[in-house]
PDB file of all heavy atoms in Angstrom:
ATOM      1  N   PHE G  61     -18.232 -26.787 -22.661  1.00 88.00           N
ATOM      2  CA  PHE G  61     -17.338 -26.433 -23.767  1.00 88.00           C
ATOM      3  C   PHE G  61     -15.901 -26.818 -23.432  1.00 88.00           C
ATOM      4  O   PHE G  61     -15.181 -27.375 -24.280  1.00 88.00           O
ATOM      5  CB  PHE G  61     -17.427 -24.931 -24.045  1.00 88.00           C
ATOM      6  CG  PHE G  61     -16.298 -24.414 -24.902  1.00 88.00           C
ATOM      7  CD1 PHE G  61     -16.265 -24.670 -26.257  1.00 88.00           C
ATOM      8  CD2 PHE G  61     -15.265 -23.682 -24.333  1.00 88.00           C
ATOM      9  CE1 PHE G  61     -15.219 -24.207 -27.051  1.00 88.00           C
ATOM     10  CE2 PHE G  61     -14.216 -23.215 -25.109  1.00 88.00           C
ATOM     11  CZ  PHE G  61     -14.190 -23.474 -26.473  1.00 88.00           C
ATOM     12  N   ALA G  62     -15.470 -26.529 -22.201  1.00 87.00           N
ATOM     13  CA  ALA G  62     -14.114 -26.877 -21.794  1.00 87.00           C
ATOM     14  C   ALA G  62     -13.917 -28.388 -21.824  1.00 87.00           C
ATOM     15  O   ALA G  62     -12.853 -28.878 -22.236  1.00 87.00           O
ATOM     16  CB  ALA G  62     -13.836 -26.334 -20.391  1.00 87.00           C
ATOM     17  N   PHE G  63     -14.933 -29.140 -21.416  1.00 90.00           N
ATOM     18  CA  PHE G  63     -14.856 -30.600 -21.483  1.00 90.00           C
ATOM     19  C   PHE G  63     -14.674 -31.064 -22.925  1.00 90.00           C
ATOM     20  O   PHE G  63     -13.791 -31.882 -23.225  1.00 90.00           O
ATOM     21  CB  PHE G  63     -16.117 -31.218 -20.889  1.00 90.00           C
ATOM     22  CG  PHE G  63     -16.417 -32.601 -21.404  1.00 90.00           C
ATOM     23  CD1 PHE G  63     -15.647 -33.685 -21.010  1.00 90.00           C
ATOM     24  CD2 PHE G  63     -17.457 -32.810 -22.306  1.00 90.00           C
ATOM     25  CE1 PHE G  63     -15.913 -34.962 -21.501  1.00 90.00           C
ATOM     26  CE2 PHE G  63     -17.721 -34.073 -22.797  1.00 90.00           C
ATOM     27  CZ  PHE G  63     -16.950 -35.153 -22.397  1.00 90.00           C
ATOM     28  N   ALA G  64     -15.508 -30.543 -23.833  1.00 92.00           N
ATOM     29  CA  ALA G  64     -15.445 -30.963 -25.238  1.00 92.00           C
ATOM     30  C   ALA G  64     -14.108 -30.579 -25.864  1.00 92.00           C
ATOM     31  O   ALA G  64     -13.511 -31.360 -26.619  1.00 92.00           O
ATOM     32  CB  ALA G  64     -16.600 -30.339 -26.024  1.00 92.00           C
ATOM     33  N   LEU G  65     -13.627 -29.373 -25.554  1.00 92.00           N
ATOM     34  CA  LEU G  65     -12.354 -28.912 -26.110  1.00 92.00           C
ATOM     35  C   LEU G  65     -11.213 -29.822 -25.678  1.00 92.00           C
ATOM     36  O   LEU G  65     -10.414 -30.281 -26.504  1.00 92.00           O
ATOM     37  CB  LEU G  65     -12.089 -27.472 -25.670  1.00 92.00           C
ATOM     38  CG  LEU G  65     -10.730 -26.877 -26.072  1.00 92.00           C
ATOM     39  CD1 LEU G  65     -10.604 -26.794 -27.593  1.00 92.00           C
ATOM     40  CD2 LEU G  65     -10.554 -25.483 -25.451  1.00 92.00           C
ATOM     41  N   SER G  66     -11.131 -30.095 -24.391  1.00 94.00           N
ATOM     42  CA  SER G  66     -10.039 -30.925 -23.887  1.00 94.00           C
ATOM     43  C   SER G  66     -10.169 -32.372 -24.358  1.00 94.00           C
ATOM     44  O   SER G  66      -9.158 -33.047 -24.603  1.00 94.00           O
ATOM     45  CB  SER G  66     -10.004 -30.881 -22.358  1.00 94.00           C
ATOM     46  OG  SER G  66      -9.668 -29.587 -21.910  1.00 94.00           O
ATOM     47  N   PHE G  67     -11.392 -32.847 -24.517  1.00 95.00           N
ATOM     48  CA  PHE G  67     -11.605 -34.193 -25.026  1.00 95.00           C
ATOM     49  C   PHE G  67     -11.034 -34.319 -26.437  1.00 95.00           C
ATOM     50  O   PHE G  67     -10.321 -35.285 -26.753  1.00 95.00           O
ATOM     51  CB  PHE G  67     -13.092 -34.520 -25.025  1.00 95.00           C
ATOM     52  CG  PHE G  67     -13.417 -35.963 -25.307  1.00 95.00           C
ATOM     53  CD1 PHE G  67     -13.523 -36.879 -24.269  1.00 95.00           C
ATOM     54  CD2 PHE G  67     -13.624 -36.402 -26.605  1.00 95.00           C
ATOM     55  CE1 PHE G  67     -13.813 -38.210 -24.524  1.00 95.00           C
ATOM     56  CE2 PHE G  67     -13.914 -37.730 -26.867  1.00 95.00           C
ATOM     57  CZ  PHE G  67     -14.014 -38.639 -25.825  1.00 95.00           C
ATOM     58  N   VAL G  68     -11.329 -33.328 -27.271  1.00 94.00           N
ATOM     59  CA  VAL G  68     -10.815 -33.331 -28.648  1.00 94.00           C
ATOM     60  C   VAL G  68      -9.296 -33.165 -28.652  1.00 94.00           C
ATOM     61  O   VAL G  68      -8.598 -33.811 -29.440  1.00 94.00           O
ATOM     62  CB  VAL G  68     -11.495 -32.233 -29.481  1.00 94.00           C
ATOM     63  CG1 VAL G  68     -10.832 -32.101 -30.857  1.00 94.00           C
ATOM     64  CG2 VAL G  68     -12.977 -32.528 -29.645  1.00 94.00           C
ATOM     65  N   VAL G  69      -8.787 -32.289 -27.784  1.00 94.00           N
ATOM     66  CA  VAL G  69      -7.330 -32.070 -27.711  1.00 94.00           C
ATOM     67  C   VAL G  69      -6.605 -33.365 -27.373  1.00 94.00           C
ATOM     68  O   VAL G  69      -5.622 -33.736 -28.042  1.00 94.00           O
ATOM     69  CB  VAL G  69      -7.011 -30.980 -26.666  1.00 94.00           C
ATOM     70  CG1 VAL G  69      -5.519 -31.001 -26.306  1.00 94.00           C
ATOM     71  CG2 VAL G  69      -7.397 -29.606 -27.199  1.00 94.00           C
ATOM     72  N   ILE G  70      -7.080 -34.087 -26.343  1.00 96.00           N
ATOM     73  CA  ILE G  70      -6.433 -35.338 -25.953  1.00 96.00           C
ATOM     74  C   ILE G  70      -6.526 -36.362 -27.083  1.00 96.00           C
ATOM     75  O   ILE G  70      -5.559 -37.074 -27.383  1.00 96.00           O
ATOM     76  CB  ILE G  70      -7.050 -35.893 -24.661  1.00 96.00           C
ATOM     77  CG1 ILE G  70      -6.721 -34.973 -23.479  1.00 96.00           C
ATOM     78  CG2 ILE G  70      -6.534 -37.308 -24.378  1.00 96.00           C
ATOM     79  CD1 ILE G  70      -7.309 -35.435 -22.159  1.00 96.00           C
ATOM     80  N   PHE G  71      -7.688 -36.419 -27.729  1.00 96.00           N
ATOM     81  CA  PHE G  71      -7.840 -37.373 -28.831  1.00 96.00           C
ATOM     82  C   PHE G  71      -6.879 -37.057 -29.966  1.00 96.00           C
ATOM     83  O   PHE G  71      -6.266 -37.968 -30.538  1.00 96.00           O
ATOM     84  CB  PHE G  71      -9.275 -37.367 -29.346  1.00 96.00           C
ATOM     85  CG  PHE G  71      -9.464 -38.221 -30.573  1.00 96.00           C
ATOM     86  CD1 PHE G  71      -9.516 -39.603 -30.453  1.00 96.00           C
ATOM     87  CD2 PHE G  71      -9.558 -37.653 -31.834  1.00 96.00           C
ATOM     88  CE1 PHE G  71      -9.669 -40.407 -31.580  1.00 96.00           C
ATOM     89  CE2 PHE G  71      -9.703 -38.447 -32.958  1.00 96.00           C
ATOM     90  CZ  PHE G  71      -9.768 -39.832 -32.836  1.00 96.00           C
TER      91      PHE G  71
END
Side-chain angles (χ1 to χ4, degrees):
F61 165 75
F63 156 73
L65 175 63
S66 294
F67 190 90
V68 172
V69 165
I70 293 179
F71 174 76

